[in-house]
Amino acid sequence: MGGWQPLPDDLPPEVRHFVEQLRLLKDRTGLSLVALGARTAYSKSSWHRYLNAGQPPPRQAVAALCRIAGLPDTEAERFTVRWEMAVQAWPRPATVPAGGDDGGHGGRTGEEYEDDPTLPWWDTPPEENARGRSRWLLWTAVLLLLLTALVGVVGTVAFG
């Protein structure tokens, strides 16, 4: 791994092993980060964070890299297991005191997220996702009701 910057010394062994394997897999593709970003749904800067242990990659990013690297299904499944172990052990961001500089995240920390290894802790909290889905469903229902009423009025006028 000649061109890679050293990983932090305090990384848990599962995370270190996973990131090292991820780097080897990326090197196996022969692609630059720009080219890897172009072939996946993840940007160059995202891949940079994933490959330097700054942030755990989403499961889909790992699956995309496995596919691009041409891993057989059994090896890709093993890689997914490594990902699950790494995500469980991944260091959470430090708690920021209320009113402190939290990078615009409203003081949220990793501990506030559901303890599910398949849900990334860096994404929106589950309760905010549920609230957004509820609003979307409500608006969809209202629009469908209005559309149904409109079709009924047009049908009544057209067919008397």
Side-chain angles (χ1 to χ4, degrees):
M1 285 194 264
W4 294 107
Q5 59 183 299
L7 293 172
D9 292 332
D10 59 345
L11 276 182
E14 300 89 349
V15 175
R16 177 174 297 281
H17 177 71
F18 173 74
V19 172
E20 288 171 348
Q21 294 299 308
L22 196 66
R23 287 175 169 188
L24 288 172
L25 192 57
K26 185 265 176 208
D27 288 344
R28 177 176 165 175
T29 68
L31 298 173
S32 68
L33 291 181
V34 172
L36 184 59
R39 301 233 356 230
T40 66
Y42 304 92
S43 68
K44 170 192 167 191
S45 59
S46 292
W47 280 110
H48 185 267
R49 286 189 304 274
Y50 307 153
L51 293 164
N52 287 298
Q55 176 182 334
R59 181 190 300 262
Q60 295 86 353
V62 174
L65 182 57
C66 288
R67 187 181 65 254
I68 290 168
L71 285 186
D73 289 342
T74 54
E75 283 185 55
E77 287 174 27
R78 276 188 240 131
F79 217 88
T80 301
V81 170
R82 283 189 209 113
W83 172 84
E84 289 171 356
M85 291 174 18
V87 168
Q88 287 177 357
W90 211 283
R92 302 298 195 256
T95 301
V96 177
D101 181 19
D102 63 355
H105 298 303
R108 291 192 304 252
T109 65
E111 289 80 31
E112 295 175 16
Y113 295 88
E114 192 171 314
D115 214 8
D116 182 347
T118 63
L119 295 175
W121 52 261
W122 62 91
D123 275 346
T124 308
E127 59 275 5
E128 284 185 22
N129 284 338
R131 219 175 305 134
R133 278 193 299 271
S134 295
R135 283 192 196 120
W136 182 84
L137 284 173
L138 177 63
W139 281 110
T140 303
V142 167
L143 288 173
L144 284 174
L145 182 62
L146 289 173
L147 182 63
T148 303
L150 180 64
V151 167
V153 169
V154 169
T156 302
V157 169
F159 297 111

